[in-house]
Amino acid sequence: MVPGVRQAYSPGARIERVTTILAFLFVLGVLVFVHELGHFIAARRIGVRVLTFSLGFGPKLVSTRRGDTEYAISAIPLGGYVKMAGESVDDPRSGAPDEFLSKTKWQRFQVLIMGPVMNLLLAVIVMAVVLAHGAEVPAYHDAAPVIGTVKSASPAEKAGLRHGDRILTVAGDPVATWDNFDIEIGRRPNRDVDLTFMRDGQTQSATLKSSAEGKYEVGDIGVEPDVTPMVASVIKGDLAEKAGLKARDLLLAVNGELMTQPTQLTEAISRNAGKRTDILVRRSGDEMHISVTPEKRGDRGMIGIYFGQQTTSYKPGPVEAIKLSFQRNYEMGGLIFKTLGGLFVGTTSPRQLMGPVAIAQLSGESAALGVIPLLMLMASISLNLGLLNLMPIPVLDGGHIAIMALEGIARRDFSAQVKEKMLLAGFVLILLLMVTVIYNDLTRISWIERLMPWRN
């Protein structure tokens, strides 16, 4: 039996695929339902007759009728729709007051805008739930981006960056924290990036070309924060405990070498097997030297500790969680618009766009980590969906709103032929976008990418 085939059809792999599919359907189903519910509620509120409320496109799998409305679940679960009486100029119209086009532009605007608005509200609510749950995050996230480690042969090393440099701007955008820095660099893979940084009180600049890391091609320049390793726990009776190390000790240096990453500490302890080793420790604000001789176990030295990094705990109350949710969504919304702008001017790679396959994979990975990560993903996608639907592209809600606005400015309705041409242009643009994101998704699947000779 071919090992790869056996693995693909193992029980674990089947469970993983089922989890991915169910998580994807859950996330997408909730987002589509909320979006279409917004249109549905607004339409019913102003007296528009709704003919169909469908989750999914294509042939109807299950349907039921209540009053004038047919409620359905359709075969293609990549969206949904609300069909209203007299919705377009091509629909049969009687001029009845319960038809969509019989309503004023203001009333039609309310129906169109409520889909995206519901997605934005969902993003805020779900994010607030996630934040209210509380979390522990690495302490460096909100710290100033002062370089702790520069990776060997990285773009940063080639550009002359070094330990202690405080990065000020990335491509002209100020970066106050490591989170800001990661976002600005992350959305610029394989791009020339201008940096300014502070060194010894002097502002300096450098230009370097970022690399692209991982299957989502996230930009990287090879710098890491100063993450002083911390003792998470010591093994009872082992060398570290006997030497006097305790939980929550910060391990600052080994034999005079500064420790800025947990992996660096592992290497330092490992290569000193059988050698008396000096560890500089900070405990409750006081520094001390502790001497220990790592014991060779297998092919490396060990002293019997588990270590991690400093974290910050927070668990806001309901009101504070909502405030933080608005703030986070506002920041993420700004990033979305920056990314879209970067696509047009070439500073953002189209490879970072994700389609349904990537969303399904992320849903599965998030579900495997638990409910909170899955909800976090849902909030992020809901925000994206709400904002993208407001873009003035015909076919999208924002495009229909833009057409109505232009008609209002012109003080006349456009002809059916003009609207058809505008909608066709929007459809072509969306189709090109879909082709791009699906291509990106497929190239992230290793066995499919191997079938693409131009990718090898």
Side-chain angles (χ1 to χ4, degrees):
M1 182 177 288
V2 180
V5 173
R6 181 177 181 179
Q7 183 180 10
Y9 288 93
S10 66
R14 284 197 296 271
I15 292 172
E16 184 178 340
R17 286 197 297 274
V18 170
T19 300
T20 295
I21 292 171
L22 291 177
F24 173 65
L25 292 177
F26 170 72
V27 170
L28 194 63
V30 171
L31 298 184
V32 170
F33 174 76
V34 167
H35 183 93
E36 299 305 331
L37 182 64
H39 292 313
F40 177 80
I41 292 174
R44 293 291 293 268
R45 191 181 69 82
I46 66 170
V48 173
R49 179 162 38 96
V50 178
L51 303 178
T52 308
F53 184 122
S54 175
L55 292 180
F57 299 110
K60 296 181 177 67
L61 301 178
V62 180
S63 67
T64 184
R65 179 173 292 277
R66 291 191 177 183
D68 295 324
T69 307
E70 180 186 23
Y71 301 88
I73 298 177
S74 300
I76 306 174
L78 298 179
Y81 63 93
V82 167
K83 176 65 177 174
M84 294 172 282
E87 184 174 356
S88 71
V89 292
D90 295 328
D91 291 339
R93 295 181 59 199
S94 64
D98 62 358
E99 293 180 346
F100 181 71
L101 290 178
S102 297
K103 302 299 180 180
T104 65
K105 283 184 171 58
W106 168 243
Q107 290 174 316
R108 282 180 275 159
F109 168 79
Q110 295 175 54
V111 175
L112 292 170
I113 198 72
M114 277 306 295
V117 166
M118 287 288 280
N119 281 127
L120 298 179
L121 286 175
L122 179 67
V124 171
I125 292 169
V126 173
M127 179 69 76
V129 170
V130 170
L131 293 171
H133 180 266
E136 286 199 4
V137 298
Y140 73 82
H141 275 204
D142 294 324
V146 177
I147 296 175
T149 303
V150 178
K151 296 179 182 177
S152 177
S154 67
E157 185 184 61
K158 294 174 183 176
L161 294 175
R162 65 192 191 204
H163 171 82
D165 288 346
R166 197 293 197 195
I167 300 173
L168 302 174
T169 66
V170 175
D173 293 322
V175 286
T177 66
W178 274 103
D179 267 354
N180 298 150
F181 171 80
D182 289 339
I183 289 171
E184 295 300 335
I185 289 294
R187 66 189 186 90
R188 293 181 170 91
N190 293 322
R191 296 289 190 272
D192 289 330
V193 182
D194 295 324
L195 299 180
T196 61
F197 57 94
M198 183 76 70
R199 177 185 294 169
D200 300 327
Q202 300 293 320
T203 299
Q204 302 185 35
S205 62
T207 299
L208 45 76
K209 184 166 185 174
S210 64
S211 59
E213 301 297 325
K215 63 181 178 179
Y216 298 113
E217 297 195 0
V218 177
D220 184 51
I221 63 170
V223 298
E224 294 178 334
D226 189 342
V227 183
T228 303
M230 181 183 71
V231 177
S233 63
V234 295
I235 297 175
K236 189 172 179 59
D238 213 330
L239 298 172
E241 186 184 51
K242 291 177 181 178
L245 286 171
K246 297 182 179 180
R248 303 200 67 78
D249 282 350
L250 296 179
L251 309 178
L252 306 180
V254 174
N255 290 336
E257 179 187 356
L258 291 176
M259 296 289 105
T260 60
Q261 292 290 324
T263 53
Q264 190 182 8
L265 176 67
T266 300
E267 293 169 1
I269 296 295
S270 181
R271 66 172 175 261
N272 282 293
K275 302 175 184 176
R276 200 71 177 165
T277 302
D278 177 76
I279 301 177
L280 179 61
V281 174
R282 180 182 293 144
R283 180 185 299 161
S284 301
D286 297 324
E287 293 186 3
M288 65 190 74
H289 290 269
I290 291 179
S291 184
V292 63
T293 301
E295 182 181 283
K296 188 168 185 179
R297 298 171 185 171
D299 59 351
R300 60 179 185 164
M302 302 179 71
I303 61 175
I305 63 170
Y306 296 103
F307 53 84
Q309 55 182 286
Q310 299 177 75
T311 60
T312 301
S313 300
Y314 72 97
K315 188 170 183 178
V319 175
E320 187 181 359
I322 293 173
K323 290 180 180 178
L324 285 172
S325 179
F326 273 107
Q327 180 183 336
R328 293 283 180 89
N329 278 284
Y330 177 79
E331 292 171 353
M332 290 168 62
L335 176 61
I336 291 169
F337 285 119
K338 278 187 177 181
T339 301
L340 291 174
L343 290 173
F344 286 103
V345 300
T347 58
T348 301
S349 171
R351 287 283 300 154
Q352 292 193 321
L353 297 176
M354 292 185 292
V357 177
I359 292 174
Q361 290 176 328
L362 285 173
S363 298
E365 293 168 3
S366 299
L369 295 173
V371 174
I372 294 301
L374 185 62
L375 291 177
M376 187 71 181
L377 176 66
M378 180 188 292
S380 176
I381 298 175
S382 189
L383 177 66
N384 276 268
L385 183 61
L387 293 178
L388 291 178
N389 263 285
L390 289 174
M391 296 292 289
I393 300 173
V395 178
L396 300 180
D397 295 324
H400 290 292
I401 291 172
I403 291 174
M404 283 200 310
L406 291 174
E407 288 178 334
I409 294 171
R411 297 191 176 185
R412 64 179 180 85
D413 289 347
F414 298 145
S415 66
Q417 292 78 11
V418 170
K419 288 184 179 180
E420 285 175 0
K421 290 178 181 179
M422 296 172 78
L423 293 173
L424 179 61
F427 175 76
V428 171
L429 183 60
I430 294 298
L431 185 61
L432 289 173
L433 179 62
M434 287 300 298
V435 169
T436 300
V437 298
I438 291 174
Y439 172 78
N440 287 347
D441 287 354
L442 294 178
T443 58
R444 295 182 182 115
I445 301 174
S446 57
W447 69 269
I448 293 180
E449 187 179 27
R450 288 196 294 271
L451 299 176
M452 303 175 178
W454 61 91
R455 294 282 301 174
N456 300 318

